[in-house]
Amino acid sequence: TVGGYALPVGSVANQSTSLAGYPAWTTTRRTGMQWEELLGHATQRAWFQTALTNRRLATSFLFVGPHGTGKRTFARLLAQSLLCRATDPNQLSHCGTCEDCVQVQADTHPDLLQVSKPADKAAIPVELLIGERDKRMREGLCHDISLRPYAGRRKIAILDDADHLNVEGANCLLKTLEEPPIDSLLILIGSSLQRQLPTIRSRCQSILFRPLSQEQLSQLLERQEWISSPAEAAELAAHSDGSLTAARALADPELREFRDGLLAALSQPMLAFGDLAKQCGTIVDAAGKDGRAKRDRLKTLFGFAAAFYRGLTLQLDAAQNLSSGDPLLESSVSQAAGHWKPGSPGAMACWRRCLLAIEQVDRNANQTGLLEAWSTDLATLSRC
C-alpha cells in the first residue's frame, strides 16, 4: 500500500463561529477535508469501507507507520465519517457541513476523545487514562469512552503517541481493550509494531501505513504555506523519505546543510566520532532552549543517519546501486559501499543503532552522553 497525508483545508475556531464569522451550524462551507483529498491510503480506506458495509468493524485499532505519513489525518477522517449523522452509517463518508463535522474539526465534539503524550513527559501519564489518584476510573479516557454517546453514533477515542505507553499505562487500557464498551472505537497511533507492548499488539487490529511516494509528498508540500515554489517542494520531497515531518525539518537551510555534511562524513572510510558528536551537539543546541525542540532536532539527525545506513544495507544486499530518488543520499551510499568492510550485517547494525538512539531520545537520555555513545558505537561497528 501507499501511505498518505493531507492537512485540513478549513476549520473553525470554536463551536459558535466559523472562520468566515458566520454561525458554524448554519454555514454551508465545508469543514476540513474530504476523503478524495487524502493522498494515498486507498487500500486502508477500502478496507474500512468493506468493514462498514459488512457491519464487521472492530473496536480497537493500532495505526502504525513512519512519522509524517498521515496516520493522524486518516484517524480523524475516520472519526468524522463515523460521527457524521448526515450520511449513511454504512458508508465511509462525511458531509463536512453538519454540526458533527464542524465539532470534529474544532476538537469540540463530545464523543471524540483525544489523548497524547505531554511535551514534558517521557511516557503517557496514567492520569490521562484512568484519572487522578483520588478520582481513579471516574475520569480519564477509559472512563469517558465507557459512557454512552452524547450526540454521535458512537464514542471514539484517538490515543496518539502509543510508542510512549509504559507497562502501567498499557495495563490501564487492558479492560477497555478486552471488554470494549458498546458503540465505542479506540484508535492507537504509533510508529511501528515493534515499539508496542505485546499486551497492546495482541488486542488491537493493526493497520500499517507506508511512507508517501516522492510524487505524493511533492504534491502535499505544494499545499503548505511555507513552500515558496513547486521546485522547492520537489527538492524537499526527494530528500525526505516520504515523510512530511522530515520535509518540514529539511526546509530549514541550516539543517539541510548539516545533513549534507553528515552524509559526507558517514561515507568516509574512517568515521571521526569525536568530531561527529561535537558537530551534532552544536546543531542541536542551535534549536534554542526549548527542550522539546532540541529533542525533535536530535531525533531528526539520528533519522538522517538511519536513512543512510538503511540505504547502505539495501545496496549491499542487492549488490546494485541504491535507487531512492535522493541523488545526494545515493552518491554517499555508493561511496561508502566501495570501501565498507563489515558487509550488510554491519550496515544493518549501524541502522539499528540509529533507531535505538531515536528511542533513547524519547526516554530523555542525556544529550551529550547519548551523542558520544552513538558516534562511538557507529565508529566501532563500521570497522568490524
Side-chain angles (χ1 to χ4, degrees), residues 8 50 126 175 182 213 240 313 349 356 383:
T50 301
V126 296
K175 182 175 177 59
I182 297 175
S213 69
S240 302
T313 302
L356 175 61
R383 290 197 297 266

Side-chain angles (χ1 to χ4, degrees), residues 136-366:
R136 286 292 158 87
M137 294 313 300
R138 286 182 288 151
E139 62 180 18
L141 182 145
C142 294
H143 167 268
D144 294 345
I145 199 173
S146 69
L147 303 176
R148 293 189 62 82
Y150 177 79
R153 293 165 173 163
R154 65 187 79 204
K155 282 280 188 180
I156 299 177
I158 299 176
L159 194 155
D160 208 347
D161 304 316
D163 294 348
H164 302 287
L165 272 173
N166 55 24
V167 175
E168 185 180 10
N171 288 338
C172 292
L173 289 174
L174 287 185
K175 182 175 177 59
T176 301
L177 294 174
E178 293 173 346
E179 302 175 14
I182 297 175
D183 297 328
S184 69
L185 183 73
L186 177 59
I187 302 172
L188 286 76
I189 300 176
S191 62
S192 69
L193 287 174
Q194 292 71 27
R195 296 194 65 179
Q196 312 309 314
L197 294 168
T199 52
I200 297 296
R201 290 200 307 264
S202 63
R203 290 167 174 82
C204 295
Q205 185 145 5
S206 298
I207 306 294
L208 305 182
F209 291 77
R210 298 187 183 278
L212 288 158
S213 69
Q214 187 171 325
E215 180 181 359
Q216 289 171 334
L217 181 56
S218 180
Q219 292 178 30
L220 175 59
L221 286 170
E222 290 182 26
R223 303 178 188 176
Q224 312 305 309
E225 294 180 356
W226 42 274
I227 292 296
S228 60
S229 67
E232 182 184 9
E235 181 182 0
L236 288 174
H239 294 77
S240 302
D241 201 23
S243 168
L244 179 64
T245 302
R248 188 181 294 274
L250 284 174
D252 181 347
E254 183 181 26
L255 197 57
R256 199 184 314 181
E257 181 180 356
F258 179 84
R259 174 187 180 270
D260 296 348
L262 176 63
L263 292 179
L266 296 178
S267 67
Q268 299 303 310
M270 295 294 292
L271 180 62
F273 64 88
D275 292 340
L276 177 62
K278 183 177 180 181
Q279 291 168 5
C280 286
T282 299
I283 193 69
V284 169
D285 290 338
K289 296 183 178 180
D290 181 69
R292 182 174 184 176
K294 294 175 70 172
R295 289 193 297 272
D296 288 345
R297 176 162 288 195
L298 186 55
K299 289 195 292 185
T300 297
L301 300 189
F302 290 144
F304 292 158
F308 170 84
Y309 287 114
R310 173 181 176 274
L312 183 59
T313 302
L314 294 175
Q315 178 157 326
L316 292 172
D317 276 343
Q320 61 184 20
N321 290 338
L322 176 70
S323 178
S324 67
D326 183 342
L328 181 60
L329 177 62
E330 292 172 4
S331 63
S332 299
V333 166
S334 295
Q335 182 177 346
H339 57 71
W340 187 261
K341 296 181 180 179
S344 60
M348 182 173 292
C350 290
W351 179 13
R352 288 175 175 170
R353 182 63 184 90
C354 294
L355 297 179
L356 175 61
I358 294 174
E359 292 184 19
Q360 291 172 325
V361 175
D362 289 330
R363 297 171 188 164
N364 287 332
N366 175 268

Side-chain angles (χ1 to χ4, degrees), residues 93-171:
S93 62
H94 54 273
C95 69
T97 59
C98 69
E99 180 176 343
D100 291 303
C101 289
V102 173
Q103 286 183 318
V104 168
Q105 284 300 314
D107 290 326
T108 58
H109 200 291
D111 294 325
L112 177 58
L113 314 172
Q114 300 184 78
V115 171
S116 60
K117 181 183 74 68
D120 60 343
K121 301 293 184 181
I124 296 177
V126 296
E127 289 76 14
L128 295 179
L129 304 176
I130 57 175
E132 299 289 344
R133 187 171 297 276
D134 59 341
K135 296 182 179 179
R136 286 292 158 87
M137 294 313 300
R138 286 182 288 151
E139 62 180 18
L141 182 145
C142 294
H143 167 268
D144 294 345
I145 199 173
S146 69
L147 303 176
R148 293 189 62 82
Y150 177 79
R153 293 165 173 163
R154 65 187 79 204
K155 282 280 188 180
I156 299 177
I158 299 176
L159 194 155
D160 208 347
D161 304 316
D163 294 348
H164 302 287
L165 272 173
N166 55 24
V167 175
E168 185 180 10
N171 288 338

